[in-house]
Amino acid sequence: MKRHLISAADLTRDDALLVLDTAEEMARVADRPIKKLPTLRGRTVVNLFFEDSTRTRISFEAAAKRLSADVINFSAKGSSVSKGESLKDTALTLEAMGADAVVIRHHASGAPHRLATSGWIGGSVVNAGDGTHEHPTQALLDAFTMRRHLAGAPDGGPTYHREPGDGTGRDLAGRRITIVGDVLHSRVARSNVHLLNTLGAEITLVAPPTLLPIGVETWPCEVSYDLDPILAKTDAVMMLRVQSERMNAAFFPTEREYARRYGLDGARMAALPGHAIVMHPGPMNRGMEITAEVADSGRCTVVEQVANGVSVRMAVLYLLLGGNEPAITTARTQENNDR
Amino acid sequence: MTKILIRGAKVLGGEPQDVLIDSETIASVGSVPDAAGATVVEAEGKILLPGLVDLHTHLREPGREDSETVLTGTRAAAAGGYTAVHAMANTFPVADTAGVVEQVWRLGRESGYCDVQPVGAVTVGLEGKQLAELGAMAESAAAVRVFSDDGKCVDDAVIMRRALEYVKAFDGVVAQHAQEPRLTEGAQMNEGLVSGELGLRGWPAVAEESIIARDVLLAAHVGSRVHICHLSTAGSVELVRWAKSKGWNVTAEVTPHHLLLTDELVRSYNPVYKVNPPLRTEADVMALREALADGTIDCVATDHAPHPHEDKDCEWAAAAMGMIGLETALSVVQHTMVDTGLLDWAGVADRMSFRPAVIGRLHGHGRPVAAGEPANLTLVDPQYRGVVNPVGFASRSRNTPYEGIELPGRVTATFLRGKATVMDGKLA
Ligand SMILES: [Zn+2]
């Protein structure tokens, strides 16, 4: 693994599997009565959030605390940052405080990259979402969730909505993943395309042409303007959050029309194969990209994704900061892939 | 000492000749055996060009003296081989009155390094709503002939039409910064494969091209001349080529950075590459070079845009747009146009001196290297190879995209009306 996690494209297949397999071990810790590991005792993790995202911040905070790290939450709201203090000055402050890792969420694409490459800080940088660029830990938790459901059975196949299995050592080769919605503005979609491609999945992006970036035809995925023909060939469908403000910028005419053409309702869910799962990075716009019926169904993994987020972020922090020490007292199995 | 003998220089890249300067004028060109009392500049192997003329410079004074002043900017210009620069109007206050343009003009004269020809704003405050007093600026001591809201596009078609018509009364020209504002709201970089991957708001080529298409049609309709600033796309080249084929009075410029750099550099998220118009693709770069070579693009203009360090030492979205260019322009042109065989040195003289002077209606600049002409001259060592180090720049700012890059060529001497502003590669 590199020293920073800025883009999902930074991860090789081996790196990605190492994170996912480590996350499986971390998930087992969560099932113990005492959920804490001493691994990062004495290390400092700073959550540097320039953009409101309580969900993501709490997830990173829980991950760091379960590894016994000291956590400092630095929110741009009400701090000197909103009074014009630059990213650089904030970074220098964190450096002076001895941050071993900085988890950064920023409204500007590329801010974590700047933080990692400008020499302002010496610690590891973890991108917790930058503008419309990337959100690599979201992609990792999505892949983790997919692997448990689609490759978690003892034979390596899908679990058909029984208890999610353990896909340790496996990738997502041949799994068909459909990502629906506002790809243009989605950091989740960009990171997922990189990571899922690395893991061997077949990706299809579905969106109105207005919500696809120029040049998407060069991405390692298929593109469709219609959702219905894709459903029967889908193992996991990921519904992206669509902000209704996009309507005002003429990306689509009305919320109703968007929901009709690209929303996931009960009828469309019924067209999915029996083993397929429905995913959403949250928070959901019920009635927009997903109906309440689908959101509350047993095929929807939204709540599970939240839990998996903590395990995956523990794995990322551990691998970036913990060096080569075993995460858990039992020796970790390094048997890489080759199913 | 009033006589200077430049010995053995290749005038415009031709056969070696001696050039004798007497006071402010070129006394003779050819063989000058007798140079009694003259300072001799040995110029064997060097190229002698007419003093360079920039149609597009941001000197920042008045208002942003933290990034550049008329004095530091003209020193940078002289170091880059320029003897005249056009100072853009987007200062604080905006150069939209006779008073401001005369102030900038006077500061230029006082600097003594390079003539400063102010550009007047087209509209009051660059706001695109009401015509500035173009006639007053034209009649002022600064004798403004080029008008531009550069930094902003004159996007209202009626205002643009009226401006084009109005400046005919004093042989003026409107220099358009072609950028359709609605198509570029919040835009951060060229819209293309790279912007899609980086998640940076795209700046489509069509935003530039649609304005150029409109403006060449308007210029044709009202019989005016229009100048297009910093062409950056292959499509823009096609439109200008088409307009010229119709015989319309259209001229265009290209910046050195658009002749060399592409949007691939933005992958670093380093704001030193953030510029307006944005860096485009390799195909655009090649089309621009070809158009400059065949004359479709009339001239090279630097769009020298100084910014203080803190405005670039930040995240991409928060950074200012623009890069400095006066001190590297000739090297980039040699690298991209001369060393590639696209343009000879006579062509460089044409695109960097003769033609911009004609477009700007400058007197005494962009003249042939011949007896009786004003001694505005630039001596270049084309053999030189050096790594760009901004620490030595005369500009007050350091936002160059070429730091650490090896570029050819070096200005060893610049003469402004016979006075050496640069000698032995150093500012006088
Ligand atoms: Zn401009």
Side-chain angles (χ1 to χ4, degrees):
Chain A
M1 292 255 300
K2 297 188 180 177
R3 194 159 63 87
H4 309 288
L5 180 58
I6 306 298
S7 163
D10 295 342
L11 299 168
T12 63
R13 182 175 173 281
D14 285 351
D15 289 338
L17 288 180
L18 179 60
V19 174
L20 297 182
D21 293 351
T22 306
E24 282 291 358
E25 295 179 31
M26 298 298 177
R28 284 193 285 275
V29 174
D31 295 334
R32 294 182 185 172
I34 296 167
K35 296 179 169 52
K36 249 182 154 168
L37 293 172
T39 320
L40 297 186
R41 184 170 291 146
R43 316 297 297 275
T44 301
V45 174
V46 176
N47 285 321
L48 178 58
F49 276 55
F50 290 82
E51 197 181 62
D52 273 338
S53 178
T54 312
R55 304 158 61 98
T56 305
R57 185 181 56 75
I58 288 176
S59 181
F60 271 104
E61 186 172 354
K65 284 184 171 166
R66 282 187 195 173
L67 294 169
S68 304
D70 296 324
V71 179
I72 298 171
N73 287 314
F74 194 106
S75 163
K77 287 270 168 183
S79 78
S80 56
V81 175
S82 49
K83 299 188 203 93
E85 182 175 320
S86 68
L87 175 62
K88 178 185 178 181
D89 290 329
T90 307
L92 295 176
T93 305
L94 301 181
E95 178 71 357
M97 291 162 81
D100 295 295
V102 176
V103 175
I104 176 173
R105 171 78 150 226
H106 203 286
H107 44 81
S109 299
H113 189 279
R114 282 292 276 166
L115 196 59
T117 57
S118 298
W120 299 331
I121 59 167
S124 291
V125 175
V126 180
N127 181 1
D130 62 327
T132 55
H133 178 222
E134 287 219 38
H135 194 358
T137 60
Q138 176 72 41
L140 284 163
L141 77 88
D142 289 336
F144 182 85
T145 306
M146 289 173 201
R147 191 172 79 163
R148 283 187 150 197
H149 283 272
L150 304 178
D155 66 351
T159 60
Y160 286 88
H161 314 296
R162 293 184 294 273
E163 278 295 282
D166 181 340
T168 296
R170 296 173 189 149
D171 61 15
L172 292 169
R175 302 305 193 281
R176 300 159 303 179
I177 315 297
T178 301
I179 301 174
V180 186
D182 186 358
V183 175
L184 179 63
H185 300 99
S186 176
R187 49 196 172 208
V188 176
R190 279 175 183 74
S191 286
N192 263 293
V193 169
H194 285 307
L195 183 66
L196 292 172
N197 179 57
T198 300
L199 290 171
E202 295 166 14
I203 311 152
T204 304
L205 300 176
V206 179
T210 47
L211 291 176
L212 289 166
I214 295 282
V216 71
E217 66 279 358
T218 65
W219 292 15
C221 59
E222 299 294 314
V223 173
S224 170
Y225 303 142
D226 288 319
L227 177 54
D228 289 314
I230 312 297
L231 291 170
K233 300 174 285 182
T234 292
D235 298 311
V237 59
M238 183 185 302
M239 306 305 297
L240 300 173
R241 179 177 166 81
V242 176
Q243 293 174 312
S244 53
E245 303 94 85
R246 303 286 179 220
M247 193 174 71
N248 303 326
F251 286 107
F252 49 86
T254 63
E255 292 180 37
R256 277 319 307 155
E257 170 147 328
Y258 183 87
R260 249 192 331 267
R261 290 178 63 83
Y262 298 101
L264 191 65
D265 58 9
R268 285 195 169 123
M269 185 169 67
L272 292 166
H275 65 271
I277 56 171
V278 175
M279 308 180 70
H280 195 297
M284 294 184 282
N285 287 314
R286 290 170 184 249
M288 184 75 170
E289 69 269 4
I290 193 165
T291 63
E293 179 190 0
V294 177
D296 297 331
S297 82
R299 307 176 75 165
C300 182
T301 60
V302 168
V303 177
E304 227 180 290
Q305 285 170 262
V306 174
N308 292 344
V310 178
S311 305
V312 161
R313 285 163 183 140
M314 286 173 77
V316 167
L317 290 173
Y318 162 71
L319 291 168
L320 291 179
L321 293 183
N324 303 314
E325 321 245 327
I328 311 180
T329 40
T330 60
R332 270 181 326 108
T333 49
Q334 283 270 16
E335 47 156 82
N336 263 345
N337 44 73
D338 296 332
R339 289 189 288 124
Chain B
M1 195 119 20
T2 55
K3 284 190 180 178
I4 298 169
L5 176 65
I6 303 169
R7 186 140 57 197
K10 298 175 176 173
V11 177
L12 273 57
E15 287 305 305
Q17 302 193 69
D18 302 333
V19 174
L20 183 65
I21 299 171
D22 187 356
S23 187
E24 297 190 358
T25 311
I26 298 174
S28 63
V29 178
S31 185
V32 184
D34 173 29
T39 303
V40 176
V41 177
E42 293 296 346
E44 194 190 338
K46 299 199 174 100
I47 310 285
L48 189 65
L49 299 173
L52 306 184
V53 175
D54 193 10
L55 264 180
H56 195 143
T57 314
H58 296 276
L59 291 179
R60 301 296 190 219
E61 187 177 1
R64 284 308 299 268
E65 291 83 356
D66 58 328
S67 54
E68 196 81 286
T69 64
V70 171
L71 180 60
T72 60
T74 51
R75 284 168 63 88
Y82 287 88
T83 54
V85 297
H86 287 73
M88 274 300 172
N90 62 339
T91 47
F92 304 94
V94 170
D96 58 0
T97 62
V100 179
V101 294
E102 285 189 350
Q103 181 198 351
V104 172
W105 177 74
R106 282 211 183 83
L107 287 168
R109 300 207 75 176
E110 287 163 13
S111 90
Y113 282 94
C114 175
D115 285 351
V116 174
Q117 177 56 48
V119 173
V122 176
T123 64
V124 174
L126 309 175
E127 284 178 353
K129 302 225 162 45
Q130 186 192 343
L131 285 187
E133 288 192 351
L134 308 178
M137 290 188 272
E139 287 168 8
S140 73
V144 175
R145 291 295 177 270
V146 181
F147 297 89
S148 181
D149 277 0
D150 182 63
K152 288 186 176 173
C153 179
V154 181
D155 65 308
D156 183 308
V158 173
I159 298 281
M160 186 62 183
R161 175 199 167 143
R162 299 284 183 247
L164 286 169
E165 288 177 298
Y166 195 81
V167 301
K168 276 201 285 190
F170 31 83
D171 196 23
V173 64
V174 177
Q176 176 69 294
H177 171 113
Q179 179 188 356
E180 209 290 315
R182 283 280 285 149
L183 282 170
T184 50
E185 280 173 16
Q188 297 288 323
M189 68 171 295
N190 178 51
E191 182 165 88
L193 305 185
V194 181
S195 67
E197 284 180 42
L198 296 185
L200 287 173
R201 186 89 59 92
W203 189 312
V206 63
E208 176 172 312
E209 294 156 5
S210 59
I211 293 292
I212 294 175
R214 183 200 73 179
D215 287 352
V216 299
L217 290 166
L218 278 176
H221 180 61
V222 300
S224 295
R225 62 187 183 110
V226 67
H227 177 74
I228 311 297
C229 295
H230 40 55
L231 242 68
S232 72
T233 77
S236 297
V237 166
E238 285 306 303
L239 288 163
V240 169
R241 192 171 277 143
W242 170 72
K244 286 190 168 187
S245 77
K246 296 280 194 182
W248 300 341
N249 212 337
V250 175
T251 55
E253 69 189 32
V254 63
T255 70
H257 47 273
H258 287 112
L259 290 172
L260 181 60
L261 310 177
T262 72
D263 64 351
E264 286 293 328
L265 292 162
V266 183
R267 291 185 188 281
S268 67
Y269 286 105
N270 185 342
V272 77
Y273 302 117
K274 186 174 176 181
V275 64
N276 174 355
L279 300 178
R280 305 286 188 181
T281 68
E282 184 75 17
D284 294 307
V285 166
M286 291 305 155
L288 292 167
R289 289 184 186 182
E290 200 179 301
L292 183 63
D294 71 20
T296 301
I297 294 176
D298 299 83
C299 61
V300 174
T302 64
D303 197 4
H304 177 81
H307 289 291
H309 183 64
E310 59 270 23
D311 287 3
K312 289 288 191 179
D313 196 26
C314 55
E315 59 273 29
W316 181 276
M321 295 186 196
M323 35 183 75
I324 56 173
L326 285 169
E327 293 170 77
T328 47
L330 191 59
S331 290
V332 173
V333 170
Q334 184 186 336
H335 177 61
T336 58
M337 302 298 297
V338 180
D339 293 356
T340 54
L342 287 166
L343 210 57
D344 57 16
W345 286 103
V348 173
D350 184 63
R351 308 299 197 275
M352 296 186 79
S353 181
F354 298 153
R355 287 222 229 178
V358 169
I359 294 166
R361 300 295 192 253
L362 280 187
H363 301 293
H365 290 279
R367 301 295 305 162
V369 180
E373 295 288 351
N376 295 318
L377 297 165
T378 297
L379 192 62
V380 184
D381 175 6
Q383 311 300 332
Y384 178 85
R385 293 286 180 284
V387 172
V388 177
N389 180 1
V391 169
F393 280 180
S395 171
R396 179 162 285 185
S397 290
R398 296 288 176 267
N399 52 304
T400 174
Y402 311 114
E403 179 170 7
I405 295 179
E406 188 184 279
L407 288 175
R410 176 169 173 255
V411 172
T412 60
T414 308
F415 300 94
L416 176 64
R417 280 182 292 279
K419 186 190 145 207
T421 53
V422 173
M423 186 57 83
D424 299 327
K426 292 185 187 70
L427 280 164

